[in-house]
């Protein structure tokens, strides 16, 4: 995420990390975070500062590319979405939504998701629905990393989770659309099919 949000100076960070021995970093067993922090420090790049929300008026490293809708159009759409969301947000969530809007005022990204009321969610035989979310601390974990973490937690909990058939059985889980990298949410849902009713 940091590399994707950076500009040309990130090339120096990549080279510095490479010279420190960083190889095959997409594999967890080879990833050495401390070496990347050292490379960022040597290139005078503040890690925490680069991960803060980006105000609309900031000129982005890729702003010179002209493709599709203009930035002004995207800003108007973002503000319209926030206005419509405020109209349909349940009363018990308004305080939380207002606080988030104040924290993320005039920044790129989506707002708080609407949550269906409990009366609208019908119980399903041998299925469990879990509401989960990502705070700012974990917003750069990918969808697959979250899925692996959930599967590990379910295995450790010893719940009677149902598995698919075939040579490579997997847990019968159903998640909503993947949350974009870098975004937070308190209303993500996961359906788990259990072996017992």
């Amino acid at each position: 995420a940091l590399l994707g949000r950076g500009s040309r100076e990130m090339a120096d960070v990549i080279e510095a990390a490479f010279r420190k021995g960083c190889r095959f970093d997409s594999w967890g067993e080879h990833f050495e975070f401390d070496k990347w922090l050292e490379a960022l420090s040597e290139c005078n790049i503040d890690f925490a500062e680069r991960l803060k929300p980006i105000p609309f008026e900031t000129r982005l490293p890729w702003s010179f590319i002209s493709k599709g809708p203009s930035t002004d159009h995207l800003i108007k759409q973002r503000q319209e979405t926030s206005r419509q969301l405020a109209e349909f947000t349940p009363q018990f969530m308004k305080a939380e939504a207002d606080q988030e809007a104040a924290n993320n005022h005039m920044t790129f990204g989506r707002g708080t998701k609407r949550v269906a009321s409990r009366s609208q969610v019908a119980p399903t035989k041998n299925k469990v629905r879990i509401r989960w979310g990502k705070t700012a601390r974990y917003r750069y974990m990918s969808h697959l990393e979250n899925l692996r973490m959930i599967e590990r937690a379910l295995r450790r909990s010893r719940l009677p989770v149902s598995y698919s058939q075939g040579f490579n059985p997997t847990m019968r889980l159903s998640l909503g659309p993947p949350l974009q990298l870098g975004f937070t949410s308190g209303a993500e849902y996961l359906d788990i099919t259990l072996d017992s009713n």
Side-chain angles (χ1 to χ4, degrees):
L2 186 64
L3 296 177
R5 289 164 62 98
S7 54
R8 288 186 174 92
E9 70 270 11
M10 295 307 295
D12 296 332
V13 176
I14 295 171
E15 183 180 358
F18 174 81
R19 294 188 185 284
K20 291 178 179 297
C22 292
R23 308 285 193 281
F24 305 108
D25 283 33
S26 61
W27 299 353
E29 63 269 23
H30 292 287
F31 180 67
E32 297 183 61
F33 188 55
D34 291 338
K35 290 184 178 179
W36 282 95
L37 290 178
E38 290 172 12
L40 287 165
S41 178
E42 288 175 9
C43 297
N44 297 319
I45 294 178
D46 185 356
F47 179 83
E49 188 67 27
R50 290 299 180 96
L51 295 181
K52 289 183 178 178
I54 303 173
F56 284 145
E57 62 272 11
T58 303
R59 182 165 177 80
L60 303 172
W62 52 87
S63 293
F64 67 95
I65 300 173
S66 177
K67 174 77 173 164
S70 66
T71 303
D72 291 337
H73 173 75
L74 295 174
I75 291 172
K76 287 178 184 176
Q77 291 295 313
R78 173 65 170 88
Q79 291 171 342
E80 179 64 17
T81 302
S82 298
R83 186 190 65 76
Q84 291 177 359
L85 179 66
E87 292 177 1
F88 295 104
T89 302
Q91 289 297 323
F92 69 89
M93 291 180 61
K94 280 195 180 293
E96 183 180 341
D98 291 343
Q99 180 62 39
E100 182 170 342
N103 293 340
N104 298 321
H105 180 63
M106 291 298 286
T107 57
F108 290 99
R110 68 182 184 188
T112 307
K113 285 186 177 179
R114 284 181 291 151
V115 183
S117 65
R118 296 184 184 212
S119 61
Q120 296 174 352
V121 181
T124 306
K125 192 174 184 181
N126 78 327
K127 278 196 176 180
V128 177
R129 175 164 288 176
I130 296 176
R131 176 182 170 187
W132 64 283
K134 283 200 298 185
T135 61
R137 183 175 180 181
Y138 301 104
R139 62 183 170 174
Y140 294 112
M141 284 184 65
S142 71
H143 181 70
L144 292 177
E145 288 172 329
N146 284 318
L147 182 57
R148 282 194 292 268
M149 179 184 65
I150 290 169
E151 288 176 343
R152 288 174 183 165
L154 289 172
R155 280 197 296 270
R156 293 195 67 177
S157 70
R158 299 179 186 270
L159 285 172
V161 179
S162 178
Y163 280 78
S164 63
Q165 303 297 313
F167 292 105
N168 297 302
T170 57
M171 290 185 182
R172 295 180 64 188
L173 308 176
S174 178
L175 287 90
L179 186 65
Q180 294 181 21
L181 197 67
F183 290 93
T184 61
S185 171
E188 300 300 305
Y189 291 93
L190 164 69
D191 287 343
I192 305 171
T193 303
L194 302 175
D195 272 337
S196 59
N197 294 335

